[in-house]
Amino acid sequence: MHTSELELWRKRLAKEGSQPAYRLVAELIAEDIGSGRLQPRERLPPLRELARALGINYTTAARAYSEAKQRGLIDSHPGSGTFVKGKAVSVKPSNGYEMTMNLMIEPAIPTLIERVRDSAISVLAQRDIYSLLRYQTFGGSHHDRVAALQWLDRRLENASLEQVLICPGIHSALVGLLMQLASPGQLICVESLVYPGLKAIAAQLGLTLHSLERDSDGPLVRPFEEICKQGQVAVLYINPTIQNPTTTTISLGRREALADVALRYSIPIIEDDAYTMLSEEKIVPIADLAPELTYYVTGTAKCFGPGLRSAFLHAPTKRQAQRAAGALRATSVMSSPLTDALVSEWITDGTADAMLKAIRNEAIARLALAEKILGRQRIDSAKGAFHLWLKLPKHSNWNPSELAVQLRSHGVSAVASAAFSTDNHPPEALRLCFGGQLTRDGWEERLHYVADIIDQPAYLSSLTM
């Protein structure tokens, strides 16, 4: 609260002596909240400072704050201070908004939405509808695999049509690959922070995850080699570009070192590159460094939405693609021909590129807001990503899991580090997603709440907003 505002209060007190000073101070607080001069969560001066500035005694100042608190205008907590409660805006989540999932940004661009709709209508108008409703051989039609290869060519140097399979989502591809490549008693090497879906798959299949220590550049090479020497490793799972949850993109040197170990010990690699198309950096996939070992998986969920359930798998060889197709067919029968047709059309007619560009641009703008409001030192992030990794300050009063629950109750898509941890030592951090139904203004509003609740946990956790 500015000194000039307190000076206005002092003049009003001197001018209007018809009611007790403590009541008038409470009225002044109410007026300034109503006019917007005082904002929700704004700190008010301590009692002694208020008394000195207004020319009243300490007891009167205390009675003024007590009156304002009884009216629901302010709140206070020992050690945190006194804050404006005001007319805080509710930011409850929308119906059906799943706040524990990492949802892509939905660009609110009318011309783009119309383009997507027109392209989808074109597919339905031009194709034999019954052909899209029949069973098909697992892996997609020749036409759809050609479109998938066009997408994969953006990352892979030597992608081959014979090695491409279309799958009903990356998650289902991972289920089939782990069923094929790993057996109970063998180890799946993963980072100490990993996509929660992989943890769920491993638990369902009775497979053991072996956690690899990581740094800011990804999983460490030496621990990977040490466990490979023991002969129990079935596969290395890696999410190397804009990793979920930390947004880390593994450097070329680290990729080369990991690929070298895998080659020396003949360890298959599952390269989950779900977020790669969001990055405009020049990236060398591990599949290009160890093509004879790597199952490369990417898809369209992060640039068109997870509702499509469409993913592309590039196997190391034609024979391994056929084996993978058998394992995948046992779990999911086939991908949806209608979905495949839509995705193929969007890739070939340029709609996918337009959507991807719009998502990147909006993600970059929202990240700039996060860096401004939360501070760059608090977050790990990547341009184009629609999630960030929020690191809690040392000696924070918050447990990450409790904070995530509190944030979700106020419309912030937050997931605590424990959900991603594979070593039982989760860091003091959370993943925040700024996609889904969220608007840029809504994200900015939530960012202010995140910043405030970290800095003033005792006060804000008590408010009902």
Side-chain angles (χ1 to χ4, degrees), residues 41-57:
R41 302 192 290 276
E42 185 172 341
R43 185 193 291 270
L44 294 175
L47 286 171
R48 294 191 186 281
E49 183 179 324
L50 179 72
R52 184 169 55 252
L54 300 184
I56 58 179
N57 60 44

Side-chain angles (χ1 to χ4, degrees), residues 420-433:
F420 309 93
S421 176
T422 60
D423 64 358
N424 294 321
H425 295 291
E428 297 294 302
L430 305 93
R431 185 194 71 188
L432 302 186
C433 172

